[in-house]
Amino acid sequence: MTESHLIRPVSSGKQAEPGISRSRPCAVPCDLLEEASRRLAVMSLVAAVLWLAASALNHLALRAMTNGDPSWAAFNVADAIASVCALASVGLFFYVRRSDRHPSFILDLGLVYMVLNCLALGLLRNWDPVIENAHLFPRITWIGAVVLMASAIVPNTPNKVLLAGVIAASMNPLSWMMAVSRGRPGYGPVSNALVMYYPDYLLVGVAVVISHVVTRLGQQVTKAREMGSYQLVKQLGSGGMGEVWRARHRMLARDAAIKLIQPGMLSRGSKADGMLMRRRFEQEAKATASLRSPHTVQLYDYGVTEEGIYYYVMELLDGIDLETLVKRFGPQPPARVMRILRQVCRSLADAHRHGMIHRDIKPANIFLCRMGNEYDFVKVLDFGLVKVMDGRGLGLTGDGVTTGTPAYIAPEVAMGRSDLDGRADLYALGCVGYLLLTGSLVFQESGAAAMMLAHVQKNPVPPSERSEFVVPVSLDQAIMGCLAKDPAERPARADVLERMLEGADGGGFWAREDAERWWHTYVPEGLADRDGDEDAGLVDRDPPAAA
């Protein structure tokens, strides 16, 4: 799992003011509230269908009971009530789907919607005269059922459920009073209505108990999700190394990304596998914390909870990874590619200087983001496969074991050699630059084994022959130098490659203004990632043919 899953791809709306928390206290965790609000949208759409279906079926029943009397098709009061409720249900569906309101407000709106539906049910039940000589006896009506279902499907706090439930259950007595005031025959005093409909009030009590249970469970989940000074807010992804969550500091108005391993993940396989996963996780945290390049993702905190959950807290970035960039916008101008690669070189130079090889450089692990008023700022992620070059190693992979991603793997890594150095990362970076310039992988092979064999045996076609841009000779040579089979023929160090890229000419100029203009055009601020979609907020427009 790469940290590209834990970084929000676009800005999540208005930023919090310094020192002021944007969060609101929730009896139920916010991500569970969001899920409940989505269920409210589904429930409102189902209700709209039911109202229309009930109206149609009512007319068919009238036709059968009146032996085809034409009056069965006449539009009546029940149809009007059903139509209003169906329209309100559809309106609520679209409002919930598109609203950027806090989920707790949406659920409060759901209680209002429940009361209005119960009013409609009460009117339908008591609009027509009571059948003569009908017996009055306690009964459970649709109103009680609706209150009970709403408390289970769309949870809220017990006090709110009690208030809304009592109001909803009172719709039958209220409509009874309205029938009496209209002089409808067969209706007695309101006390008769209370005798008939008191079971609905009992169901309100059951609904309050359900909401209390859900609230207690939510509080337990909230407590379980505390990671040091951070509160987990929303899960952003999961993979072989654990889960990734969006989190918020309990005292600071700052969101972060938390990567964690649940105890269950450590015990799925053998004891040795669990120990290996934990050691890799610890290594990733320690390796990331030891690096100081601004182009390496920053680590805020690291620890183990009382429940045995390993976690570390990193900065939450605003942008997209290079894989998404190419997927959505195609090959990039050479000047922009050089700017991106130079920043990656600075991160790798810092890691190599500390004796670490990343071993998993690929577009998904390189993030292009906004940092304050800077655009196209690169962050290198995921140091989970880092290898120490001091001869001691960390014992996390054995000799001959291949690690990394086949499409971006150096020949010496593919062959399982143990004498690796930073030039393996430079080979992978050359593959990344190749993808940025051409929109294609260096080799088009199917299957991991065939891909690794191609990196060992085949000679790549220069990117200048496959790119839609005019690739300057110096950049073409730098990329091909990184892709040399023999590490000795590649640039000696990351800082050497950076100087080669700085000296490259003929690729145009990608200034700060160009980057800012691109971001405002294709990834405008203020588009919230409401559904967790990695591509949310990215504008589908054809990118400019040249910078």
Side-chain angles (χ1 to χ4, degrees), residues 61-122:
L62 287 174
R63 180 184 181 184
M65 289 187 294
T66 59
N67 295 320
D69 189 320
S71 62
W72 70 271
F75 189 82
N76 53 40
V77 174
D79 295 328
I81 294 174
S83 299
V84 170
C85 290
L87 288 174
S89 299
V90 173
L92 179 64
F93 171 79
F94 285 107
Y95 180 81
V96 171
R97 295 278 294 179
R98 299 181 180 181
S99 176
D100 57 355
R101 297 274 190 172
H102 193 276
S104 63
F105 171 82
I106 298 296
L107 298 187
D108 291 345
L109 187 62
L111 291 178
V112 175
Y113 170 73
M114 178 193 72
V115 171
L116 293 178
N117 274 275
C118 290
L119 173 60
L121 291 171

Side-chain angles (χ1 to χ4, degrees), residues 162-173:
L162 176 62
L163 177 61
V166 169
I167 295 175
S170 300
M171 291 301 126
N172 268 325

Side-chain angles (χ1 to χ4, degrees), residues 65-262:
M65 289 187 294
T66 59
N67 295 320
D69 189 320
S71 62
W72 70 271
F75 189 82
N76 53 40
V77 174
D79 295 328
I81 294 174
S83 299
V84 170
C85 290
L87 288 174
S89 299
V90 173
L92 179 64
F93 171 79
F94 285 107
Y95 180 81
V96 171
R97 295 278 294 179
R98 299 181 180 181
S99 176
D100 57 355
R101 297 274 190 172
H102 193 276
S104 63
F105 171 82
I106 298 296
L107 298 187
D108 291 345
L109 187 62
L111 291 178
V112 175
Y113 170 73
M114 178 193 72
V115 171
L116 293 178
N117 274 275
C118 290
L119 173 60
L121 291 171
L123 289 174
L124 289 177
R125 183 173 185 81
N126 297 298
W127 186 264
D128 295 325
V130 174
I131 299 175
E132 189 174 357
N133 298 324
H135 297 286
L136 299 177
F137 58 91
R139 65 190 67 182
I140 293 176
T141 70
W142 274 109
I143 288 180
V146 167
V147 172
L148 199 60
M149 288 187 293
S151 65
I153 297 175
V154 188
N156 214 312
T157 60
N159 290 338
K160 291 180 179 179
V161 170
L162 176 62
L163 177 61
V166 169
I167 295 175
S170 300
M171 291 301 126
N172 268 325
L174 177 62
S175 59
W176 183 289
M177 293 175 59
M178 294 173 63
V180 171
S181 66
R182 293 171 57 235
R184 309 300 286 176
Y187 287 87
V190 177
S191 58
N192 288 349
L194 296 177
V195 171
M196 285 186 63
Y197 301 126
Y198 80 83
D200 287 342
Y201 290 95
L202 297 182
L203 291 183
V204 171
V206 176
V208 172
V209 172
I210 292 175
S211 66
H212 178 71
V213 171
V214 172
T215 301
R216 288 291 301 273
L217 289 175
Q219 291 171 348
Q220 293 174 10
V221 170
T222 299
K223 184 177 180 180
R225 289 180 174 179
E226 292 180 355
M227 301 287 165
S229 298
Y230 289 86
Q231 187 75 41
L232 299 187
V233 175
K234 180 179 181 181
Q235 186 173 349
L236 300 179
S238 61
M241 278 288 288
E243 299 174 353
V244 180
W245 289 74
R246 179 171 180 165
R248 182 170 296 120
H249 197 282
R250 290 184 296 189
M251 300 297 293
L252 303 176
R254 179 182 71 182
D255 285 355
I258 288 186
K259 189 172 183 179
L260 57 88
I261 295 183
Q262 297 282 3

